[in-house]
């Protein structure tokens, strides 16, 4: 664990019956956007559930500010600092954007004096001010995803965990979410999972590649680009090089 | 779905109350007393239904897609989320029972029944019970997270509530005691209320404790558990005390402080001192029944009409005006029963069914004769019509003397 890392996991494994969803994964996360790349079934969602305290790891530990979050009080303090967007957040369809934020502000005990201001700020941050009174049912997929991101911001967390926020969105909506994540990553630790390299190519400070529950590679985006053999000309975009690097890593793992 | 479930609580409690209230067809129909009885009986159905609705809500919330979002919250936030759900369902359940009471009260007033505040303590208990049932249902649903649990909770809670109510015989005992709170009637409403309240609070504690465990609330957990333990001991003590009060209770025969008025045909009518306003009506009603009773036996003039059975041979029992005025038929039935009570008990002691049948038949004949509105006409359960003559009634009455 490096001294700069705010959040890290050490030797985390998690199994569901015979299925090993995570196998001895150790990785550090620091401020800025941390991209978790991996194909479907790589263990990204399980990793996020372990990180947010939804699931207990079968073995290994999660550390926040250098201290294990097994300790209940510390876990509570940690969870107060986390904003989590699961892949499918579920049953809030009857809520408007504002009601959703208000509900979570109440649950998280955002002080009443600043609650209205925080809600307004969160909705504004995700660019949904004009849709604040709109029911979630009536929003597009991208807008709904942004509404749930607003919910994660309501208590001004220092860690944001976003599980495939771009999944199922059209290209325009994906660009909007990417830009939003880049903005959010300027002030906090953002963990973003995706199976698309382009989602994190431009914004991530660190990239972690998972496959079949194992950590395949972790490092800076430039390193991944180098691994992909970036040729530095106009016909060979950085994203393409990232993708080649990503695929090379997956191929290497499967050969092993 | 999540927004609809609290309304399910309202529908369950209001529906259960009205389903029991509207078909009632006896002497207390559409009276405040009737509404009270219905509320008490409805608890058998409402508590399990509310526990079931709450467990459905908890299962839905903890198995649904949103569970990951909620489980990532600190336990205090999860507790607030759960409290909100339980609060809404409880509130809806209590609103349902209160709404049903308003309906019952409106019906009662429109039917000329007198108003009684006696209903409120039990309504309060019913509301406490609803909150505790909702807590328990929600906590179990949240812990078990299985769709098998809601129906199981409904069945088990129904069994528990039915056993509880039949054990303490809550409705019949409480009704008389609350409507006419005289020591000569039942003198254990307070231990009874204590027993029921203790049970409700205990159930609520069990629910809340289970719920806190589910939420893994660590802050002040020991303090909470110790408080819960002391409260549980307190509740258990109040229940034991209540049980002793109930088990030791005897219907008192002391009617010395009752207020009385003479009947023109002889004999007198006495009434608990708490309800002097019923006396003029009773005198008018019982005059005609008493006249026919004296035709059977002029010696009955020495007896006193009372609302309860007093030492054998001194009373003729009338139907207490609980809510609405009883009918002449009810007064005649109660009076005939008081004439035969000694003989019936004797036959029961001897386990002689033939004798019991004979007294039952004689009692019906006397009751039919005593009812001035029946004109001797009696229709049995198969619809056969019989006409009772004075001679028939005399023969039947003699059997009550001979035993």
């Amino acid at each position: 664990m490096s001294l700069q890392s705010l959040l890290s996991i050490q030797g985390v494994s998690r199994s569901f019956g015979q299925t090993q969803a995570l196998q001895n994964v150790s990785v550090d996360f620091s401020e800025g956007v941390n991209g978790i790349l991996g194909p479907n079934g790589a263990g990204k969602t399980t990793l996020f559930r372990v990180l947010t305290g939804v699931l207990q790891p079968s073995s290994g530990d999660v550390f926040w500010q250098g201290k294990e979050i097994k300790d209940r009080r510390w876990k509570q303090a940690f969870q107060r600092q986390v904003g989590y967007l699961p892949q499918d957040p579920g049953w809030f369809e009857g809520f408007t954007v504002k009601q959703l934020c208000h509900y979570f502000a109440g649950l998280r005990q955002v002080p009443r004096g600043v609650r209205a201001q925080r809600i307004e700020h969160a909705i504004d941050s995700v660019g949904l001010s004009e849709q604040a009174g709109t029911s979630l049912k009536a929003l597009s997929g991208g807008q709904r995803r942004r509404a749930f991101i607003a919910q994660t911001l309501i208590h001004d967390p220092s860690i944001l965990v976003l599980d495939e926020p771009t999944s199922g969105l059209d290209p325009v909506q994906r660009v909007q979410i990417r830009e939003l994540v880049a903005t959010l990553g300027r002030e906090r630790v953002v963990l973003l999972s995706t199976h698309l390299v382009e989602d994190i190519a431009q914004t991530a400070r660190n990239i972690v590649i998972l496959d079949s529950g194992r950590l395949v590679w972790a490092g800076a985006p430039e390193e991944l680009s180098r691994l992909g053999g970036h040729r530095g000309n106009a016909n060979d975009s950085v994203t393409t090089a990232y993708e080649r690097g990503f695929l090379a890593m997956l191929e290497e793992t499967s050969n092993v | 779905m999540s927004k609809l479930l609290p309304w399910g609580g309202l529908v369950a409690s209001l529906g259960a109350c009205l389903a029991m209230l509207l078909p009632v067809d006896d002497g207390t129909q559409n009276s405040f007393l009737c509404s009270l009885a219905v509320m008490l009986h409805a608890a058998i159905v409402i508590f399990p239904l509310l526990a079931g609705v709450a467990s459905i809500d908890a299962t839905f919330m903890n198995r649904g897609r949103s569970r990951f979002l909620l489980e990532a919250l600190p336990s205090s936030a999860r507790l607030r989320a759960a409290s909100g759900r339980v609060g809404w369902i409880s509130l809806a359940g209590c609103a349902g029972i209160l709404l049903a009471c308003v309906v019952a009260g409106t019906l009662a007033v429109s039917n000329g029944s007198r108003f009684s505040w006696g209903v409120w303590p039990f309504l309060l208990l019913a509301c406490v019970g609803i909150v505790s049932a909702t807590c328990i249902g929600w906590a179990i649903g949240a812990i078990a997270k299985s769709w098998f649990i809601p129906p199981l909770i409904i069945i088990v809670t129904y069994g528990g509530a039915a056993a509880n109510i039949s054990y303490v015989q809550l409705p019949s005992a409480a009704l008389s005691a609350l409507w006419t709170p005289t020591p000569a009637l039942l003198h254990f409403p307070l231990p009874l209320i204590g027993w029921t309240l203790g049970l409700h609070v205990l159930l609520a504690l069990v629910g809340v404790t289970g719920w806190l465990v589910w939420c893994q609330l660590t802050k002040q957990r020991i303090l909470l558990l110790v408080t819960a333990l002391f409260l549980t001991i307190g509740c258990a003590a109040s229940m034991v005390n209540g049980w002793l009060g109930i088990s030791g209770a005897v219907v008192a025969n002391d009617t010395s402080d009752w207020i009385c008025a003479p009947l023109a045909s002889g004999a007198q009518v006495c009434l608990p001192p708490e309800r002097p306003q019923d006396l003029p009506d009773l005198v008018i009603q019982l005059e005609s029944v008493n006249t026919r009773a004296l035709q059977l036996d002029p010696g009955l003039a020495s007896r006193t009409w009372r609302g309860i059975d007093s030492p054998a041979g001194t009373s003729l029992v009338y139907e207490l005006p609980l809510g609405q005025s009883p009918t002449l038929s009810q007064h005649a039935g109660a009076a005939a029963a008081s004439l035969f009570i000694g003989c019936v008990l004797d036959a029961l002691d001897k386990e002689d069914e033939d004798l019991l049948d004979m007294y039952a038949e004689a009692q019906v004949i006397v009751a039919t004769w005593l009812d001035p509105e029946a004109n001797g006409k009696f229709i049995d359960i198969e619809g056969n019509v019989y006409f009772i003559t004075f001679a028939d009634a005399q023969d039947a009455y003699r059997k009550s003397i001979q035993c």
Side-chain angles (χ1 to χ4, degrees), chain A residues 49 52 54 72 76 79-80 84 86 88-94 99 103-104 106-109 148 151, chain B residues 2-3 60-61 64-78 80-81 85 216 218 221:
Chain A
R49 286 181 188 164
T52 52
V54 173
R72 285 179 183 274
Q76 296 287 304
Q79 285 181 319
R80 275 193 278 273
Y84 177 43
D88 185 356
W91 55 253
F92 301 91
E93 280 82 5
Q99 283 171 339
Y103 178 65
F104 278 92
L107 293 185
R108 289 197 175 266
Q109 282 195 303
F148 277 102
Q151 161 276 130
Chain B
S2 60
K3 284 195 170 181
F60 186 73
M61 200 164 159
R65 289 169 295 161
S66 61
R67 71 183 186 277
F68 300 115
L69 189 52
L70 295 168
E71 283 172 14
L73 294 171
S75 58
S76 53
R78 292 207 303 274
R80 273 188 289 282
R85 302 303 302 169
Q216 296 178 313
T218 52
R221 188 165 59 167

Side-chain angles (χ1 to χ4, degrees), chain B residues 219-237:
Chain B
K219 210 174 177 182
Q220 298 140 347
R221 188 165 59 167
I222 294 172
L223 184 65
L224 271 169
L225 289 176
V226 170
T227 311
L229 183 69
F230 277 109
L231 281 171
T232 307
I233 293 168
C235 292

Side-chain angles (χ1 to χ4, degrees), chain B residues 306-322:
Chain B
R306 291 191 181 95
I308 58 163
D309 197 22
S310 289
T314 64
S315 296
L316 277 169
V317 176
Y318 59 79
E319 188 75 20
L320 270 171
L322 301 175

Side-chain angles (χ1 to χ4, degrees), chain A residues 38-116:
Chain A
N40 289 334
K44 303 184 295 291
T45 298
T46 306
L47 176 69
F48 278 7
R49 286 181 188 164
V50 168
L51 270 170
T52 52
V54 173
L55 286 178
Q56 289 294 316
S58 306
S59 63
D61 298 308
V62 178
F63 293 85
W64 176 51
Q65 294 181 347
K67 198 174 166 186
E68 260 183 87
I69 63 164
K70 265 183 184 165
D71 174 75
R72 285 179 183 274
R73 282 169 189 256
W74 193 239
K75 185 180 174 183
Q76 296 287 304
F78 169 69
Q79 285 181 319
R80 275 193 278 273
Q81 286 301 318
V82 174
Y84 177 43
L85 172 67
Q87 215 169 323
D88 185 356
W91 55 253
F92 301 91
E93 280 82 5
F95 286 64
T96 64
V97 177
K98 199 169 184 178
Q99 283 171 339
L100 180 78
C101 291
H102 208 276
Y103 178 65
F104 278 92
L107 293 185
R108 289 197 175 266
Q109 282 195 303
V110 174
R112 284 183 189 277
V114 296
R115 197 174 284 182

